[in-house]
Amino acid sequence: MKKLILSIAIFALVGCSQVDQTDRAVVKVWGEVDGVAGPGLIWYNPISTSLHKMPITNQQAKGHMEASSKDMQKVNTEVLVNFHYVPNKVDSIYSRFGDDFCHGFLDARIIEAIGIVISQYKADTILAMRDRMQHEMKAAIKAKMDSANVPVVIDGFVIANIRFSDEYSRAIEAKQVAEQEAARAEKILDRVDKENQQKVIAARADSTAKVINAIADSIETAIKLKVLKMSNVKEYITLKWIETWDGKLPSVTANDKMMPIVDLK
């Protein structure tokens, strides 16, 4: 009976807690942080000691800020940060920030990084430089953590959303419409120019064809005329005489025996 009572008393003075692989336990002795325990079954004195479990798995923090771009345009940016605590140093995090590391440290660093990076880019380049900005924001937060000796690892950083002011969005839309109209007009002018060029080429070809046909006709006429000359010289001479005759008849003939030709004029 005495042994049973003694055993109950011993167990009453000994605490036991199971710490999973995904957690670590911050050991506190008389309220003061005194190290890290786990994973596994942890035995401790419940009178003087207590355990506070903290996750070491991936966690996510969100940040949102309206910042000014390099050309003073308002840019609303929302980011997501994935991180985890260094397992054997969760006692340091708990000592400094308790259970609210995000509110106590990370949120402010996220907002600061957004403001710094956004201010280095003009509004019309931000969307195109999104990947580069993500890298720079992540590097800025990590640098702040390293300088503050915070044992937290950043696993991922994503710019979830970028939104411009309504005025700037309308201006961008108007610019895009104007660029599309200019491109459409340029295509029309290019098509008209090509059509005119084709018309000029066709006109030149037609003119050349006419010249060639005229030359061919002249050559053909000359050839026919030459053939005519060669085939019938007498008729040709008569034709030429008729073409060159002035319409006056001779007053006499070369033969004195013939009657004279009287000029009726």
Side-chain angles (χ1 to χ4, degrees):
M1 187 66 180
K2 291 182 179 180
K3 291 181 179 181
L4 178 60
I5 295 174
L6 181 60
S7 297
I8 294 174
I10 291 174
F11 276 104
L13 295 175
V14 176
C16 181
S17 180
Q18 174 67 37
V19 179
D20 295 333
Q21 290 286 345
T22 57
D23 297 327
R24 292 295 183 272
V26 177
V27 180
K28 295 190 295 182
V29 178
W30 304 114
E32 297 291 333
V33 175
D34 190 40
V36 179
L41 191 62
I42 309 300
W43 298 90
Y44 61 96
N45 180 355
I47 297 176
S48 62
T49 306
S50 63
L51 301 179
H52 182 81
K53 295 180 182 179
M54 295 185 68
I56 60 171
T57 53
N58 187 276
Q59 301 180 63
Q60 187 176 84
K62 296 181 180 181
H64 176 269
M65 181 185 179
E66 182 182 78
S68 295
S69 63
K70 191 174 182 178
D71 52 351
M72 302 307 295
Q73 296 294 333
K74 298 298 182 182
V75 183
N76 288 279
T77 307
E78 181 180 350
V79 303
L80 302 176
V81 183
N82 294 325
F83 66 94
H84 72 270
Y85 302 140
V86 176
N88 61 347
K89 294 183 179 180
V90 293
D91 55 337
S92 173
I93 296 172
Y94 183 79
S95 297
R96 297 172 62 180
F97 310 109
D99 287 321
D100 202 3
F101 167 71
C102 289
H103 184 267
F105 181 86
L106 185 56
D107 290 350
R109 305 292 87 76
I110 291 174
I111 292 174
E112 184 179 353
I114 292 174
I116 292 173
V117 174
I118 290 294
S119 66
Q120 297 175 3
Y121 294 88
K122 291 184 178 181
D124 60 353
T125 65
I126 285 177
L127 294 179
M129 302 300 290
R130 187 172 188 151
D131 291 342
R132 179 175 175 178
M133 290 168 58
Q134 286 182 168
H135 176 75
E136 292 178 353
M137 289 180 186
K138 178 181 178 182
I141 295 173
K142 184 178 183 303
K144 291 292 183 180
M145 286 185 174
D146 292 343
S147 63
N149 196 25
V150 177
V152 173
V153 177
I154 298 179
D155 300 309
F157 186 99
V158 177
I159 296 178
N161 186 35
I162 296 175
R163 185 170 59 85
F164 300 98
S165 66
D166 294 339
E167 293 80 5
Y168 184 76
S169 297
R170 285 193 291 268
I172 290 295
E173 184 178 357
K175 180 181 177 182
Q176 291 175 344
V177 171
E179 290 176 347
Q180 291 173 357
E181 291 297 331
R184 188 178 297 108
E186 186 176 355
K187 288 181 180 179
I188 293 174
L189 290 175
D190 184 60
R191 185 177 69 251
V192 171
D193 184 59
K194 289 181 179 178
E195 290 176 353
N196 290 336
Q197 289 180 1
Q198 291 174 354
K199 289 180 180 179
V200 170
I201 293 172
R204 289 177 179 174
D206 183 64
S207 177
T208 302
K210 289 181 178 179
V211 171
I212 293 174
N213 290 335
I215 294 173
D217 291 342
S218 298
I219 293 174
E220 183 180 3
T221 301
I223 292 173
K224 289 181 179 179
L225 188 58
K226 187 173 182 180
V227 170
L228 180 61
K229 289 179 181 179
M230 294 176 65
S231 62
N232 198 342
V233 177
K234 183 177 180 180
E235 285 80 354
Y236 175 74
I237 293 173
T238 303
L239 176 64
K240 294 301 292 182
W241 181 84
I242 293 172
E243 288 177 353
T244 57
W245 180 47
D246 58 2
K248 296 179 181 181
L249 294 173
S251 58
V252 295
T253 62
N255 191 345
D256 293 338
K257 294 180 180 182
M258 296 181 66
M259 293 181 64
I261 299 174
V262 179
D263 189 355
L264 299 178
K265 291 184 178 182

